Amino acid sequence: MANATQVEPLVGKELLQKVKELDDLSKEDKAKACGYYTLTKSGAPRVNMMKFLNALIEAEGIQLDSSQNGNGRGGRSASFRITVQSNGNLLIGSTYTKQMGLRPGDEFEITLGRKHIRLKQLGDNGALLEDDDE
């Protein structure tokens, strides 16, 4: 019932315009006036500063997160997590192979541990390459 009085947060140009109009207020008061708050059980407003600041950054058109994967197209970002597929395969994906500069035909030695799988890249002659991050 307390949420009935809460307003929809402003975004985009409307948010920027409202912030300019409220130049003399504190940032918390600006956030509240722009709708970036929730009401507690007692009905007191709690300011959502992070959402407010993120909305301001987005309204200004500033991209903090990388939204492109290097070839000009959008797509999923690398999560550094994979799932075993229904056929039992583990697919690493091109994001990781591109990041490492791997090419078709590159070979790896697979070492199994109790709870891990380690891949070590082999050189052209089949010898292990030096690992620069161990």
Side-chain angles (χ1 to χ4, degrees):
M1 190 127 138
N3 286 341
T5 59
Q6 189 171 346
V7 296
E8 187 69 26
L10 298 175
V11 294
K13 292 179 183 177
E14 295 160 339
L15 175 62
L16 293 175
Q17 182 61 40
K18 184 74 169 179
V19 168
K20 286 179 186 174
E21 291 171 9
L22 303 172
D23 192 39
D24 57 329
L25 297 180
S26 70
K27 60 184 174 186
E28 288 82 9
D29 289 338
K30 289 176 187 174
K32 272 197 288 189
C34 293
Y36 289 89
Y37 67 94
T38 56
L39 296 174
T40 63
K41 291 180 183 176
S42 65
R46 177 178 290 149
V47 178
N48 296 327
M49 283 305 296
M50 188 59 76
K51 287 183 181 180
F52 175 64
L53 296 173
N54 284 336
L56 279 173
I57 289 169
E58 190 174 313
E60 286 286 350
I62 299 170
Q63 291 289 89
L64 293 180
D65 292 329
S66 175
S67 61
Q68 294 188 344
N69 60 9
N71 62 3
R73 296 183 308 202
R76 291 185 286 182
S77 61
S79 66
F80 296 96
R81 295 183 76 149
I82 58 174
T83 304
V84 176
Q85 298 177 342
S86 60
N87 62 4
N89 289 341
L90 282 175
L91 178 65
I92 293 175
S94 64
T95 300
Y96 308 105
T97 56
K98 286 177 186 172
Q99 191 172 2
M100 290 183 64
L102 301 177
R103 296 181 307 270
D106 285 352
E107 294 183 331
F108 291 82
E109 177 185 274
I110 300 172
T111 308
L112 299 177
R114 241 181 101 221
K115 292 194 173 198
H116 68 271
I117 299 171
R118 176 168 284 163
L119 298 175
K120 291 188 178 182
Q121 189 172 6
L122 300 175
D124 293 335
N125 60 1
L128 286 174
L129 294 176
E130 291 294 318
D131 192 358
D132 48 333
D133 63 3
E134 277 190 24

